[in-house]
Amino acid sequence: MLSTGVRVEKYPLTFQHAIQLCRRLGYRYLWIDSLCIFQDSPKDQLREINSMKTVYQNCAWTLAAIH
């Protein structure tokens, strides 16, 4: 379970793998754009997109999923 009580198994397999990898590497936080940005809110998207430089600049590493 995540800290919000949502079962990890409810997420797509790609998210599950990213969560498992972060846990194995000892990381406490994981940013998944589609979960961290309200996808149906242009106002939230604009605010978060403007902060992406800081998010990525301060990350330990970046994982990209390619379908």
Side-chain angles (χ1 to χ4, degrees):
M1 291 186 151
L2 300 173
S3 63
T4 60
V6 177
R7 297 185 58 79
V8 173
E9 296 81 19
K10 299 286 183 178
Y11 289 108
L13 195 55
T14 304
F15 292 1
Q16 292 179 43
H17 290 165
I19 292 166
Q20 292 168 0
L21 179 61
C22 285
R23 287 179 174 167
R24 287 182 186 160
L25 294 174
Y27 289 98
R28 185 175 174 186
Y29 300 103
L30 172 63
W31 176 278
I32 297 177
D33 285 356
S34 62
L35 296 178
C36 298
I37 300 173
F38 296 118
Q39 298 300 304
D40 59 350
S41 171
K43 185 177 179 181
D44 188 59
Q45 286 180 345
L46 181 61
R47 183 181 65 245
E48 295 298 335
I49 288 169
N50 285 328
S51 69
M52 294 311 296
K53 177 182 177 187
T54 304
V55 169
Y56 288 107
Q57 191 173 28
N58 293 310
C59 73
W61 50 275
T62 302
L63 174 67
I66 300 172
H67 299 276

